[in-house]
Amino acid sequence: MTHLTNAQPEVIARLNKAFAFPISAYDALVEQFMKELHDGLTEDNFMPMIPTFVYELPDGEETGVVLSLDLGGTNLRVCRTTLFGKGEFEITHKKWTISDALKKGSGKDLFRWIADRIEEFLIDQCSDTHIEGNYPLGMTFSFPCDQLDINVGKLLNWTKGFRGTDLLGQDVVKVLQDCIDAKNLNITVNSLINDTVGTLLATTYKHPGCEIGIIFGTGTNCAYLEDQAEITKIKPSAANYTSPTNQQLINTEWGAFGNKSGALPSNEYDRNLDARSSYPGQQLYEKMVSGLYISELARSVFYDLAKRGDLFVEGSSNPKTDEELGDLAIKERFDGAMMGAIEGDNSANLDAIEKQFQTSYNLKTSKTDRETIKYVCELISARAARLSAVGIAAVVKKRKMLTQPRKVIVGIDGSLYNKYPNFKQHLKGALNEIFDAATVTAKISLITAEDGSGVGGAIAAYLACKQKGLEV
């Protein structure tokens, strides 16, 4: 944490109280998390716990050329993956930023835009490849769906700022396939997974034995391998009532933890953020953990402190007006990259923070301001890491993984985990607090997934072909 030499003690005390997360809070939260995981496997009105129709993990020996598409919270990627076996692969891809207009417009327009980008990619990257029939394409779709088969998923709700309500309840694979067919492209969308399942599949391809995949990025989620007998909510008439392997990957959609139980340690900033969000009362865990929301949480704290006269007063006792605060007074005008840059500023005078607020918001900052700003970011990101560790611990304990002779491998992807300063260290530190350092060192391995969504989507498409007896 920042060495506070200038910050106002009463302000720091108020922030500490709001974002406190004592070690004593872990046990009850982990137990409640385990309960909600279990309840989600037995009933549909708790954590979603969505069966994926993926019954096995790769063994690293899969080979072939497969396409995949990754629609996340920020970007669209289209990929061509060549699987060589022995955990080796080669991937080429193209990425496009999803505009706010597309995010907030109709879902059909978004999917037509995706089909246009697929066509662009085929022309650029696949014109030299000749295949018989269609390319199989694995669709990595990072939003809650009611999955009815490996290639059928009805959209439950949008997250991460998307608002295409015209697609709610529709099969997103069919919508995409219709847009592709309208352009006469030789592609069959044969599988639907989310980015977390993709992270699990991609990590297991390179590290056999991995059974948990997690995203800590714009959003957060977890997928893991569950025993089929535990998934009692599947109806006998469902296509996945039985599993050829007696196991099935579960897409937890754990961002919904705490929605019904109220178990999360929320404060006034959390509650205000939730009330102003697109879906109040939903994804409460995600709103305290993921990159999209923790940066907005930090902005709301800055705004509150400024309106109280605790920031940007420049020797005056008069709080700044909304007009003087500019973009800092506007929702979502402070992002995760800016937050990370602030926490990563280790200069004596916190020069990067000074420059950022001057450049982005035309606000002058004192040393007291800059210490407080950095401390806010540290408090919020550290709490996010601790809550993230609660989720990991709950899955590990539910599956009794520490009793197994092999090491627990957790594949993790996402910008928060990969890029945010100190997040990995805080996450591991929290696991040490929940278990103990010796156990974590000996039994739990956190592995950065290598292109989880792209390669994972390709492997899902491969497994879908294998499931139906088709060659890749």
Side-chain angles (χ1 to χ4, degrees):
M1 289 287 187
T2 297
H3 182 57
L4 300 169
T5 57
N6 297 278
Q8 302 173 60
E10 64 275 14
V11 173
I12 298 305
R14 192 166 69 242
L15 292 170
N16 284 337
K17 183 178 180 180
F19 292 98
F21 195 102
I23 292 176
S24 60
Y26 282 124
D27 288 347
L29 270 177
V30 171
E31 286 299 317
Q32 180 62 32
F33 212 121
M34 290 170 63
K35 180 181 185 303
E36 294 191 27
L37 291 169
H38 175 269
D39 290 346
L41 293 172
T42 59
E43 298 182 55
D44 282 329
N45 62 341
F46 293 94
M47 197 182 298
M49 300 295 285
I50 302 168
T52 64
F53 296 81
V54 179
Y55 303 116
E56 62 182 317
L57 291 166
D59 60 14
E61 296 305 320
E62 291 78 7
T63 59
V65 178
V66 193
L67 299 182
S68 58
L69 174 152
D70 172 22
L71 182 68
T74 306
N75 300 308
L76 167 73
R77 282 197 315 145
V78 180
C79 310
R80 169 187 166 184
T81 302
T82 304
L83 303 170
F84 297 113
K86 301 188 185 303
E88 299 296 324
F89 63 85
E90 180 179 85
I91 186 166
T92 57
H93 67 93
K94 192 165 184 178
K95 181 167 69 174
W96 298 265
T97 299
I98 305 168
S99 69
D100 283 342
L102 283 168
K103 286 184 179 183
K104 295 174 181 177
S106 80
K108 290 285 179 63
D109 286 344
L110 173 65
F111 274 61
R112 291 187 193 101
W113 176 79
I114 291 170
D116 288 340
R117 303 290 76 76
I118 293 172
E119 181 179 40
E120 181 181 328
F121 181 81
L122 281 178
I123 293 169
D124 290 346
Q125 301 292 340
C126 298
S127 58
D128 62 336
T129 303
H130 302 283
I131 64 167
E132 294 183 8
N134 285 6
Y135 283 105
L137 183 145
M139 182 179 179
T140 303
F141 188 73
S142 308
F143 305 90
C145 287
D146 179 16
Q147 193 139 5
L148 303 177
D149 206 335
I150 186 62
N151 62 344
V152 180
K154 294 184 178 181
L155 182 64
L156 293 173
N157 60 271
W158 289 105
T159 57
K160 307 168 193 172
F162 285 75
R163 297 180 186 171
T165 55
D166 57 313
L167 291 191
L168 295 180
Q170 293 198 40
D171 175 10
V172 293
V173 174
K174 184 178 187 305
V175 174
L176 179 59
Q177 189 69 61
D178 287 347
C179 292
I180 287 171
D181 291 345
K183 302 183 76 63
N184 296 312
L185 306 179
N186 60 326
I187 289 173
T188 299
V189 185
N190 75 345
S191 58
L192 174 71
I193 61 171
N194 74 344
D195 53 356
T196 323
V197 173
T199 293
L200 175 53
L201 293 174
T203 305
T204 309
Y205 185 69
K206 291 188 71 71
H207 303 277
C210 175
E211 293 186 7
I212 303 175
I214 298 173
I215 296 291
F216 294 125
T218 306
T220 186
N221 196 10
C222 171
Y224 72 99
L225 187 65
E226 180 60 90
D227 293 334
Q228 185 75 7
E230 292 289 309
I231 317 170
T232 59
K233 69 179 179 181
I234 301 178
K235 294 178 173 59
S237 59
N240 62 337
Y241 180 66
T242 60
S243 161
T245 64
N246 295 318
Q247 293 181 311
Q248 188 168 175
L249 268 62
I250 293 294
N251 164 24
T252 66
E253 294 296 343
W254 76 3
F257 171 61
N259 284 2
K260 293 181 180 292
S261 66
L264 288 164
S266 63
N267 57 42
E268 62 176 311
Y269 299 112
D270 298 305
R271 291 186 285 274
N272 288 338
L273 183 148
D274 176 52
R276 293 183 291 105
S277 68
S278 299
Y279 297 96
Q282 299 183 35
Q283 300 297 106
L284 296 184
Y285 181 65
E286 182 169 76
K287 287 170 182 171
M288 298 176 74
V289 167
S290 70
L292 175 66
Y293 293 107
I294 65 170
S295 57
E296 174 59 16
L297 196 59
R299 187 205 63 80
S300 69
V301 176
F302 300 151
Y303 177 76
D304 177 62
L305 293 178
K307 300 303 285 185
R308 290 171 181 261
D310 294 327
L311 279 181
F312 316 123
V313 291
E314 303 174 48
S316 167
S317 60
N318 296 322
K320 285 281 190 287
T321 64
D322 282 7
E323 184 177 357
E324 289 171 321
L325 290 171
D327 279 357
L328 198 62
I330 301 173
K331 181 182 175 183
E332 297 176 3
R333 294 294 179 90
F334 178 79
D335 61 28
M338 297 169 77
M339 186 173 172
I342 285 172
E343 191 160 340
D345 184 0
N346 295 315
S347 63
N349 200 44
L350 301 176
D351 300 310
I353 299 174
E354 181 177 34
K355 181 178 179 181
Q356 184 171 112
F357 275 78
Q358 181 68 59
T359 303
S360 300
Y361 306 109
N362 196 30
L363 289 169
K364 293 181 179 179
T365 56
S366 65
K367 181 67 178 299
T368 296
D369 290 339
R370 295 193 290 278
E371 285 186 1
T372 303
I373 287 165
K374 183 174 181 181
Y375 192 69
V376 167
C377 294
E378 290 173 334
L379 278 177
I380 292 172
S381 68
R383 188 187 69 166
R386 292 186 179 109
L387 285 169
S388 299
V390 166
I392 295 174
V395 175
V396 168
K397 285 189 170 187
K398 183 193 180 303
R399 295 288 293 144
K400 299 180 172 59
M401 291 180 172
L402 293 180
T403 64
Q404 300 171 0
R406 65 178 182 271
K407 204 165 189 176
V408 178
I409 301 174
V410 183
I412 306 178
D413 201 1
S415 56
L416 189 63
Y417 182 77
N418 291 327
K419 297 179 180 180
Y420 194 91
N422 305 316
F423 187 86
K424 287 183 184 179
Q425 295 92 315
H426 286 313
L427 179 62
K428 186 172 181 182
L431 287 172
N432 289 344
E433 291 169 343
I434 294 171
F435 299 108
D436 62 74
T439 297
V440 172
T441 299
K443 295 289 293 182
I444 299 176
S445 180
L446 306 181
I447 292 178
T448 301
E450 190 171 346
D451 199 354
S453 297
V455 177
I459 293 170
Y462 180 98
L463 293 175
C465 288
K466 177 183 176 183
Q467 204 168 300
K468 295 180 179 180
L470 302 175
E471 291 188 6
V472 177

